[in-house]
């Protein structure tokens, strides 16, 4: 076992494929400058997960992604787990549905009545889309 292997195990990366993907995404110019590609929160290397932008397991084989660098995105645990093996548009729809799901919660309703919660509905635009938009301006 090399020093790199020990380091990667200490930061929570155990499988060889996962280690290689994480190193590649990290070394790729710090893809999105150390931020989650989806929510935009800053993530440390040890907390970064690698998401397959286009899922490896898809309903249609033609929709399946690959372990290509272009298909790998840095993600925080929350976004990676919430997105799961869904397409970007399905993930976007899940995020957009959150306010409706919350409105069914009694505590949420109390928070609205007392002004503790302010609803803000807006189109879901992921961090990587904002960054790419800035590059094109």
């Amino acid at each position: 076992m090399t020093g790199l292997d020990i380091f990667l195990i200490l930061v929570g990366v155990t499988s060889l494929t996962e280690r290689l993907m994480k190193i590649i995404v990290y070394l790729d110019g710090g893809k999105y400058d150390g931020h989650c590609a989806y929510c935009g929160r800053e993530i440390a290397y040890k907390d970064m997960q690698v998401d397959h932008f286009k899922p490896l397991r898809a309903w249609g084989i033609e929709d399946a992604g690959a372990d290509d660098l272009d298909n790998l995105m840095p993600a925080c645990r929350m976004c990676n787990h919430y997105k799961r093996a869904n397409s970007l548009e399905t993930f976007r729809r899940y995020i957009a549905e959150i306010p409706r799901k919350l409105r069914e919660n009694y505590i949420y309703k109390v928070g609205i009545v007392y002004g503790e919660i302010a609803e803000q509905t807006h189109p879901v635009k992921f961090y990587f889309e904002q960054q790419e938009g800035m590059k094109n301006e």
Side-chain angles (χ1 to χ4, degrees), residues 16 29 33 37-38 45 76 79 83 100 110 115 121 126 137:
L16 179 60
D33 198 28
Y38 302 109
Y45 175 81
C76 67
C79 288
K83 181 178 177 280
R100 180 189 56 79
V110 171
T121 55
F126 295 110
E137 290 177 356

Side-chain angles (χ1 to χ4, degrees), residues 56-120:
L56 292 178
R57 295 175 297 281
W59 291 104
I61 191 70
E62 67 280 354
D63 297 326
D67 280 336
D68 299 334
L69 184 57
D70 291 342
N71 193 42
L72 303 177
M73 301 290 260
C76 67
R77 180 179 301 274
M78 179 184 67
C79 288
N80 196 29
H81 284 247
Y82 202 64
K83 181 178 177 280
R84 298 185 313 235
N86 291 302
S87 70
L88 183 67
E89 292 313 312
T90 299
F91 182 42
R92 188 185 314 275
R93 190 178 73 243
Y94 285 177
I95 299 295
E97 289 173 353
I98 290 172
R100 180 189 56 79
K101 291 176 180 178
L102 286 172
R103 282 186 209 108
E104 297 167 6
N105 182 290
Y106 180 76
I107 295 170
Y108 184 81
K109 291 175 185 177
V110 171
I112 292 288
V113 168
Y114 283 92
E116 296 297 319
I117 297 172
E119 291 188 3
Q120 298 177 352

Side-chain angles (χ1 to χ4, degrees), residues 17-28 30-32 35-38 48-56 65-75 80 83 128 132:
T17 304
E18 185 183 352
R19 282 186 239 170
L20 292 173
M21 287 191 301
K22 191 166 181 176
I23 290 169
I24 289 167
V25 170
Y26 183 74
L27 294 178
D28 182 34
K31 203 169 190 179
Y32 302 110
H35 292 83
C36 173
Y38 302 109
M48 181 186 78
Q49 296 189 353
V50 178
D51 176 60
H52 288 87
F53 183 74
K54 213 172 169 185
L56 292 178
D67 280 336
D68 299 334
L69 184 57
D70 291 342
N71 193 42
L72 303 177
M73 301 290 260
N80 196 29
K83 181 178 177 280
F128 77 91
E132 289 172 5

